[in-house]
Amino acid sequence: MERENVDVTRRMQYILNMRAVLNKDALFSDGTEYYRSPAEPKPGETVIIRFRTQKNNVDAVYLVYGRTRQKMKVYKTANGFDYYAGKFIMGEEIVRYHFEIHYGWVTCYYNYLGVSMDCEERWDFEIYPGYDTPEWAKGAVMYQIYVDRFYNGDPSNDVETGEYSYIGDVSVRVEDWNKTPAVMGVREFYGGDLQGVMDKLDYLEDLGVEVIYLNPIFVSPSNHKYDCQDYDYVDPHLGRIVEDCDGLLPEGDRDNSHAMKYIKRVTDKRNLEASNELFAQLVEEIHKRGMKVILDGVFNHCGSYNKWMDRERIYEGQEGYPKGAYVSADSPYRYFFKFNDENRWPYNPTYDAWWTHDTLPKLNYEGSRQLYDYVLYVARKWVSPPFNVDGWRLDVAADLGYSNEFNHNFWKDFRRAVKSANPNAVILAEHYGSPEGWLMGDEWDTVMNYDAFMEPVTWFLTGMEKHSDEYREDLYGNSEAFISAMKMHMRSLHMSALHTAMNELSNHDHSRFLTRTNRRVGRISYAGADAASQNINPAVMREAVALQMTWPGAPTVYYGDEAGVCGFTDPDNRRTYPWGNEDQEMIDYHKRLIRLHKKYKILRTGSVCFLWNDYQGLCYGRFSHNEQIIVVINNRDEEREAEIAVWRAGISRMEDTCMERILLSHKDGYTQEPQEYTAHAGVISVRMPAYSVTILHHKD
């Protein structure tokens, strides 16, 4: 009997001493406003850091930063979670921090990658003092316009056939708006202009656009205008021509000093000033509608037509224009460029060019402080009255200058110049690879998000490389690769840059996403234009749009994507907007997704967590402490069901929770007809049709 009593006592003591297994999946923190307050602290501000665990599941949580190890305190318990908090005063230096979690004899750590048994500083969370990006840009719905291909609002300013010569042949005025761009289509012009943008503002407003990003609009001989001719003026072919003349190039003549009509149009100050005035009016009208405008800044190189170089001798002899550096060694712009042979003037062709393209002279900032200061003036000019542009997108920004050190110094000065003129202007750079060196709070605000959006999305949903140059079976539907890529590259952006990053599915440099859904490797030069629209899958496009509109960052629609435009990479991706022939269903779908994106704040600033994945399947949550949006994707050509632990996004496991379906898209269409789903003990069962995406919402 005594022995039995001893056994019972031991069993009771064992039961009383039992504890729940450490729930690693409940551990969570990030750099959003819900777990860091303020999310973008300035020196001297008190920063509150928060951490989530399962209720009564751990012994202690420590906030570790620098040489400080601070024990955190539970400040709130909700939905089966304990929320811990710690705080410190933000200094002048970068703060790197992680969490140390104690559970019995076990100690683990939590950093950017999640739970770890080791503590590697490179994965710590980071706070950059004073790094703040414009509030309006966080999650803003952007719309990219390649102006020549959007809408022709003023035929009187159209480039004429034979107006001038460019890269071996004459300019061409395209008469058929629906014509497919030629393989060498750089000198083809369809007539799209700023008046056309003005005429379609009602359409853009109805679509839900918040920011218009314009590809380059300054004077230039190409339709893409990445070969700037004059940074001070909008191209009259996009603006207004108030003074004109005859004088097309004679048949067979390729000497642009004879292109009298072109010279008149682009050098006469009356045309240039009228074009700038029209642009100012356009910006004013855009602002009246509550929208913003971003310009494309090409400051690494200019064009051979540029008035500083004047290789085409367009400005030579024109009143008010000094001689270009190509024309004369005595040019005031002589050191704006690097010449490799000092004995070739007049008409010296030995200048450095970007990637050896002689139409793209590289700007020699190291050799001319005058050039350096002038480009900073240009940067200020367009974000100041009367133009009041809301920011710059910077072309090939990492290439500027001849050294990495100089590049960083220039962008620091560029930021100071822009922000002094317009503190709310955004500075957004084109960049491939890790941008960390430029995202320290004193250079760029953010980037075009290739690594942490466009590339992982296209590989996962289509298996295609972003140019349609390669198909990878091993990446098609590979959700593990998708998640790894996202975690790795989002780490480089920090929260401030991440929430303003330009998330595109397509743009002027890559194939149209809808074309990638046919999983065909090809370019227009050998596959032909028709192949770009054969066997496409609009349901996969709708999956991608849903992902785009629910992922952290600024979802950016490339003009015409919403209307069903297809195309291989440059130049086929620059087809005209199909006015009168739009895919109205795709437009309607974009409107619905944009409205959802704008309705729910957590889609702009909320936390993100992966909840479930398998081959061709993915689920993630966007959430705050009391609200969740769950996105479920099935990229298979078959229906199936998934059991998803939505509690990791903050849904209670203590009681049944009703969630409302706010969108379903599938192989045969889409609907926003509401439907309730019930999470039992924090787990939800979702039926997923073929090629589908389901979006659910819950708020306490």
Side-chain angles (χ1 to χ4, degrees):
M1 186 70 177
E2 183 177 346
R3 182 176 178 182
E4 288 180 8
N5 288 337
V6 170
D7 288 342
V8 169
T9 301
R10 285 176 177 173
R11 283 197 292 270
M12 290 297 295
Q13 287 177 336
Y14 176 76
I15 292 170
L16 290 172
N17 289 330
M18 281 182 66
R19 56 190 297 146
V21 174
L22 175 63
N23 188 344
K24 295 188 296 181
D25 290 337
L27 305 181
F28 188 81
S29 187
D30 63 12
T32 66
E33 62 189 61
Y34 307 107
Y35 290 91
R36 179 194 297 163
S37 180
E40 299 174 338
K42 294 177 173 56
E45 288 189 313
T46 298
V47 185
I48 300 174
I49 303 294
R50 300 179 180 90
F51 188 76
R52 189 191 76 181
T53 72
Q54 181 180 310
K55 181 181 177 182
N56 298 327
N57 188 234
V58 305
D59 295 323
V61 178
Y62 291 87
L63 173 63
V64 183
Y65 57 97
R67 297 181 180 179
T68 301
R69 182 172 171 270
Q70 177 188 142
K71 188 171 185 179
M72 304 178 76
K73 297 180 180 179
V74 175
Y75 74 93
K76 181 177 78 169
T77 298
N79 293 332
F81 296 101
D82 285 333
Y83 291 89
Y84 289 75
K87 61 183 179 181
F88 56 83
I89 305 297
M90 190 69 203
E92 300 284 347
E93 302 297 323
I94 298 169
V95 173
R96 295 180 172 87
Y97 66 92
H98 63 268
F99 302 93
E100 182 181 305
I101 301 100
H102 288 245
Y103 168 82
W105 296 101
V106 176
T107 298
C108 65
Y109 305 92
Y110 190 94
N111 54 25
Y112 190 87
L113 292 183
V115 181
S116 173
M117 298 309 293
D118 298 313
C119 185
E120 292 187 65
E121 184 178 335
R122 67 192 178 111
W123 300 118
D124 278 359
F125 295 100
E126 296 178 326
I127 308 178
Y128 290 82
Y131 191 154
D132 59 336
T133 53
E135 282 299 315
W136 63 262
K138 291 182 172 70
V141 179
M142 300 187 182
Y143 190 88
Q144 179 184 351
I145 297 178
Y146 193 94
V147 180
D148 181 62
R149 308 296 161 84
F150 187 59
Y151 186 68
N152 189 346
D154 179 10
S156 71
N157 64 12
D158 290 0
V159 173
E160 298 291 345
T161 297
E163 187 174 323
Y164 57 94
S165 174
Y166 187 66
I167 312 183
D169 209 340
V170 296
S171 59
V172 174
R173 178 179 181 174
V174 178
E175 302 292 343
D176 178 7
W177 181 258
N178 298 312
K179 173 188 170 297
T180 302
V183 173
M184 184 54 185
V186 67
R187 47 184 175 260
E188 285 188 327
F189 295 87
Y190 287 72
D193 48 34
L194 296 183
Q195 185 60 52
V197 177
M198 183 88 81
D199 292 348
K200 294 300 182 180
L201 288 180
D202 285 347
Y203 167 76
L204 297 176
E205 187 175 15
D206 184 55
L207 187 62
V209 171
E210 295 174 297
V211 183
I212 297 173
Y213 154 45
L214 299 173
N215 282 113
I217 62 171
F218 303 130
V219 183
S220 156
S222 68
N223 56 51
H224 59 69
K225 302 203 175 301
Y226 284 96
D227 47 356
C228 184
Q229 187 171 327
D230 190 336
Y231 291 99
D232 283 308
Y233 295 104
V234 169
D235 194 321
H237 296 96
L238 300 181
R240 284 190 177 131
I241 296 174
V242 295
E243 294 293 331
D244 209 352
C245 69
D246 294 327
L248 299 177
L249 276 177
E251 185 73 27
D253 190 351
R254 298 293 181 266
D255 185 344
N256 282 319
S257 67
H258 302 156
M260 306 305 349
K261 189 178 189 70
Y262 182 73
I263 292 171
K264 181 70 172 178
R265 286 180 159 191
V266 300
T267 67
D268 192 306
K269 291 295 175 64
R270 290 166 291 187
N271 292 332
L272 299 171
E273 295 293 349
S275 298
N276 280 8
E277 182 181 346
L278 174 63
F279 177 66
Q281 292 169 2
L282 173 62
V283 176
E284 183 178 10
E285 182 59 34
I286 289 170
H287 284 167
K288 282 181 183 177
R289 294 167 182 259
M291 295 187 282
K292 307 284 187 183
V293 188
I294 294 175
L295 286 184
D296 212 323
V298 188
F299 301 125
N300 166 68
H301 55 270
C302 63
S304 57
Y305 279 60
N306 193 283
K307 63 185 179 184
W308 299 335
M309 174 65 77
D310 198 22
R311 176 169 174 157
E312 301 299 317
R313 302 172 64 187
I314 286 166
Y315 296 93
E316 186 179 7
Q318 297 299 312
E319 185 177 352
Y321 292 98
K323 289 183 178 180
Y326 170 82
V327 175
S328 172
D330 297 326
S331 167
Y333 313 123
R334 158 72 181 83
Y335 295 101
F336 283 27
F337 309 94
K338 184 182 286 188
F339 288 88
N340 300 310
D341 187 339
E342 299 289 333
N343 301 308
R344 295 289 294 275
W345 277 286
Y347 313 124
N348 189 339
T350 68
Y351 52 86
D352 268 8
W354 187 60
W355 281 38
T356 71
H357 295 295
D358 64 0
T359 56
L360 303 175
K362 185 169 175 64
L363 291 169
N364 180 30
Y365 291 94
E366 289 93 329
S368 173
R369 185 68 204 193
Q370 182 186 354
L371 168 65
Y372 194 107
D373 291 340
Y374 198 85
V375 171
L376 296 185
Y377 157 75
V378 169
R380 290 191 300 270
K381 170 181 176 175
W382 293 98
V383 299
S384 303
F387 308 109
N388 299 309
V389 164
D390 301 290
W392 288 101
R393 178 266 187 189
L394 305 173
D395 187 62
V396 294
D399 288 5
L400 184 141
Y402 285 98
S403 73
N404 191 53
E405 180 182 5
F406 184 90
N407 181 277
H408 285 291
N409 287 335
F410 177 85
W411 292 125
K412 286 179 172 65
D413 286 342
F414 184 92
R415 181 184 184 86
R416 282 190 284 267
V418 169
K419 299 288 185 174
S420 66
N422 184 348
N424 280 318
V426 72
I427 300 172
L428 190 157
E430 177 192 29
H431 187 70
Y432 298 86
S434 175
E436 281 189 274
W438 291 270
L439 297 179
M440 310 289 280
D442 57 355
E443 296 183 51
W444 310 336
D445 283 321
T446 189
V447 293
M448 299 178 76
N449 199 2
Y450 290 118
D451 290 350
F453 188 76
M454 184 190 280
E455 294 207 29
V457 170
T458 191
W459 286 124
F460 173 60
L461 291 179
T462 72
M464 296 297 295
E465 184 268 341
K466 60 185 178 294
H467 290 279
S468 290
D469 280 346
E470 180 184 9
Y471 172 72
R472 292 270 306 265
E473 184 72 34
D474 61 317
L475 292 179
Y476 178 47
N478 188 336
S479 58
E480 291 291 344
F482 175 88
I483 292 170
S484 296
M486 284 297 196
K487 284 185 175 181
M488 180 72 66
H489 297 302
M490 287 167 71
R491 163 70 177 75
S492 301
L493 293 177
H494 323 301
M495 282 296 165
S496 298
L498 179 66
H499 286 151
T500 52
M502 185 181 278
N503 288 348
E504 296 183 296
L505 297 172
S506 321
N507 63 25
H508 62 289
D509 284 327
H510 306 98
S511 60
R512 295 274 183 172
F513 188 89
L514 187 55
T515 286
R516 279 176 244 150
T517 67
N518 67 10
R519 291 152 55 198
R520 173 170 181 170
V521 174
R523 292 203 174 205
I524 188 174
S525 57
Y526 61 85
D530 290 344
S533 55
Q534 292 170 353
N535 302 313
I536 58 173
N537 191 333
V540 175
M541 177 76 179
R542 292 196 297 270
E543 291 176 57
V545 173
L547 204 161
Q548 179 185 41
M549 295 296 167
T550 58
W551 196 256
T556 304
V557 179
Y558 183 44
Y559 81 101
D561 265 13
E562 80 279 17
V565 174
C566 293
F568 289 120
T569 199
D570 174 20
D572 198 33
N573 53 12
R574 302 170 183 181
R575 299 185 190 187
T576 52
Y577 187 99
W579 301 108
N581 298 298
E582 304 96 323
D583 180 339
Q584 293 293 346
E585 187 176 77
M586 191 65 79
I587 289 177
D588 178 69
Y589 182 78
H590 273 79
K591 287 181 181 179
R592 291 169 184 259
L593 267 295
I594 289 171
R595 281 198 293 268
L596 288 181
H597 176 84
K598 294 165 74 172
K599 180 178 179 179
Y600 298 102
K601 181 190 174 186
I602 55 171
L603 292 179
R604 294 180 185 262
T605 59
S607 299
V608 62
C609 179
F610 292 105
L611 304 175
W612 169 87
N613 69 289
D614 70 359
Y615 174 67
Q616 299 287 13
L618 182 72
C619 177
Y620 57 90
R622 298 296 309 279
F623 58 97
S624 64
H625 294 323
N626 66 345
E627 186 176 13
Q628 298 82 23
I629 281 183
I630 308 298
V631 181
V632 191
I633 293 173
N634 172 30
N635 199 41
R636 294 187 193 177
D637 190 14
E638 60 186 8
E639 181 180 306
R640 57 192 177 128
E641 288 209 9
E643 299 285 324
I644 299 168
V646 293
W647 65 264
R648 294 180 61 194
I651 297 220
S652 175
R653 290 191 295 170
M654 305 296 106
E655 58 188 14
D656 286 353
T657 303
C658 287
M659 306 194 72
E660 182 184 13
R661 187 186 73 192
I662 56 177
L663 181 121
L664 168 65
S665 172
H666 51 86
K667 189 174 184 178
D668 300 315
Y670 58 90
T671 180
Q672 283 191 285
E673 181 180 346
Q675 182 174 324
E676 280 197 353
Y677 287 72
T678 301
H680 302 287
V683 177
I684 200 165
S685 177
V686 180
R687 182 187 68 83
M688 301 184 295
Y691 294 122
S692 68
V693 56
T694 297
I695 304 178
L696 309 175
H697 175 254
H698 168 263
K699 188 172 185 179
D700 291 342

